[in-house]
Amino acid sequence: MSTERILIIGSNGQIGLELAEALRKNYGDEHVVCVDIRKLENQILPFEVLDVLDQNALLALVKKYEITQVYLLAALLSATAEKNPKFAWDLNMNGLFNVLDLAKEGHIKKVYWPSSIAVFGPSTPGQNTPQYTVMEPNTIYGISKLAGERFCEYYHQKYGVDVRSIRYPGLIGWKSAPGGGTTDYAVHIYHEALKNKTYECFLNAQTALPMMYMPDAIRATIQLMEAPAEQVKIRSSYNLAGISFNPEEIAASIRKHIPDFSITYKPDFRQSIADSWPASIDDTLAQQDWGWKIKYDLDAMTQEMLDNLKRVGNMAV
Ligand code: AKB
């Protein structure tokens, strides 16, 4: 039986729901404590309502459940953050400080914090973007993620905090709805394809972005967290390539199953966010350091997305 007790902050979001399921399988239900600012109707337990900005409540919870590891997933994503920059900065940064300080003070042993391809900006080389390169993000989300990465590395070097992180590409899954991201079109498109056989995309046809099917993202996250500490050589955040495609290409993949599916384009403010991000990523260091290997390509993901959404009744997103 595992001695780890894991806290997932932001457990009811797109990543949290799937991560909780996977961690409960690996560690046992009672070893995974879920917290979020909202309780779901069919909430899995153990669960507590928590605002990550409430440092005292967070510490009390960590003590109550004798938590050893924290996955911090509460954040505002790119599109929502642009609408509320001050709150985005407050939540994304002070949430992270609250958790890093728990580790610095010895209350927990290990921290997972997600970064994003949003740390890159318009001056970054956009094809096969290397781990170390020019980073001048021009979105508030990207700025908060880049600052967060620097603080993760700082807390590791200065205080020995065991913090681990991945720069997620856009994440695509059928179990839960995404919220407030620029890459979310690649989830909505599957729902609309099944419901209406047509989708109006908020990015233009040629906007290629790195994406990843959720089972790969969850596997990468747990693999990194379970890797021996000496294999985790990057303490800011690891590039993870995923699969790169544009809206036209995902539409073509869907058409292999729904031949009369059509897509139209009406770019909005999210187009300029997407334009500032790389089209493809180099993740050689994740492969070398902790053995990362992707499983799903675009067509394999499309097949599973459509099959699963059909099976569960294509819930609205
Ligand atoms: C977003 O679109 O904001 C996120 C991300 C790439 O981090 N999915």
Side-chain angles (χ1 to χ4, degrees):
M1 184 48 106
S2 172
T3 54
E4 299 295 337
R5 293 188 73 92
I6 297 170
L7 182 69
I8 305 179
I9 301 175
S11 64
N12 291 340
Q14 189 201 12
I15 304 171
L17 283 167
E18 300 211 21
L19 188 64
E21 199 180 305
L23 288 172
R24 281 159 65 95
K25 261 190 208 136
N26 292 3
Y27 291 86
D29 294 358
E30 291 307 312
H31 289 251
V32 181
V33 179
C34 292
V35 301
D36 205 295
I37 42 166
R38 268 180 302 274
K39 189 173 179 178
L40 296 176
E41 261 171 40
N42 53 348
Q43 184 64 59
I44 53 166
L45 301 173
F47 174 85
E48 304 242 4
V49 171
L50 177 89
D51 177 353
V52 67
L53 297 177
D54 186 342
Q55 200 172 10
N56 293 332
L58 175 61
L59 177 58
L61 224 135
V62 162
K63 287 185 173 162
K64 174 175 167 188
Y65 289 98
E66 299 175 346
I67 296 297
T68 57
Q69 303 183 13
V70 172
Y71 287 73
L72 170 56
L73 305 176
L76 284 202
L77 297 190
S78 56
T80 318
E82 288 307 300
K83 293 184 180 152
N84 201 345
K86 288 223 167 93
F87 176 62
W89 178 259
D90 185 28
L91 176 64
N92 294 3
M93 294 310 299
N94 290 323
L96 177 59
F97 285 135
N98 286 350
V99 173
L100 287 176
D101 282 337
L102 285 177
K104 177 187 161 193
E105 287 154 18
H107 299 291
I108 54 174
K109 291 190 303 197
K110 226 189 251 186
V111 175
Y112 179 80
W113 175 79
S115 186
S116 160
I117 54 163
V119 291
F120 301 116
S123 53
T124 301
Q127 297 293 338
N128 214 20
T129 302
Q131 175 74 35
Y132 300 107
T133 184
V134 179
M135 295 169 94
E136 295 180 317
N138 63 0
T139 62
I140 196 70
Y141 175 63
I143 293 167
S144 72
K145 287 295 180 188
L146 182 55
E149 283 192 9
R150 303 317 308 146
F151 274 105
C152 286
E153 190 175 291
Y154 183 86
Y155 269 66
H156 176 71
Q157 286 176 353
K158 237 358 216 205
Y159 310 120
V161 168
D162 188 353
V163 54
R164 303 169 183 214
S165 175
I166 286 171
R167 290 173 181 154
Y168 287 133
L171 299 182
I172 298 165
W174 55 271
K175 291 186 183 169
S176 61
T182 301
T183 58
D184 294 359
Y185 90 84
V187 178
H188 296 143
I189 194 169
Y190 288 113
H191 289 260
E192 293 301 317
L194 286 170
K195 246 188 300 182
N196 303 318
K197 296 192 177 180
T198 183
Y199 177 64
E200 184 180 271
C201 186
F202 57 75
L203 300 181
N204 69 38
Q206 302 306 326
T207 310
L209 289 169
M211 303 276 187
M212 184 174 274
Y213 189 39
M214 197 61 97
D216 270 335
I218 298 296
R219 194 165 51 81
T221 304
I222 296 176
Q223 195 176 326
L224 174 61
M225 280 297 269
E226 291 182 349
E230 63 278 8
Q231 284 180 15
V232 185
K233 298 191 178 116
I234 293 173
R235 296 300 184 145
S236 52
S237 191
Y238 275 94
N239 271 11
L240 219 58
I243 31 179
S244 288
F245 56 80
N246 65 33
E248 207 167 44
E249 289 163 335
I250 191 174
S253 179
I254 291 172
R255 257 183 234 115
K256 290 178 186 167
H257 303 264
I258 306 172
D260 50 347
F261 172 66
S262 67
I263 182 165
T264 56
Y265 301 96
K266 197 178 174 197
D268 66 14
F269 73 101
R270 289 167 281 194
Q271 182 65 51
S272 64
I273 299 177
D275 287 342
S276 77
W277 292 349
S280 62
I281 300 278
D282 175 10
D283 66 5
T284 310
L285 292 176
Q287 295 177 39
Q288 277 171 11
D289 289 359
W290 42 277
W292 169 242
K293 199 166 184 316
I294 193 165
K295 187 168 156 210
Y296 287 89
D297 63 14
L298 175 56
D299 283 339
M301 175 175 78
T302 295
Q303 170 98 52
E304 283 208 7
M305 282 295 290
L306 294 175
D307 286 352
N308 282 302
L309 288 175
K310 258 187 248 165
R311 192 175 48 78
V312 299
N314 190 22
M315 57 218 167
V317 291

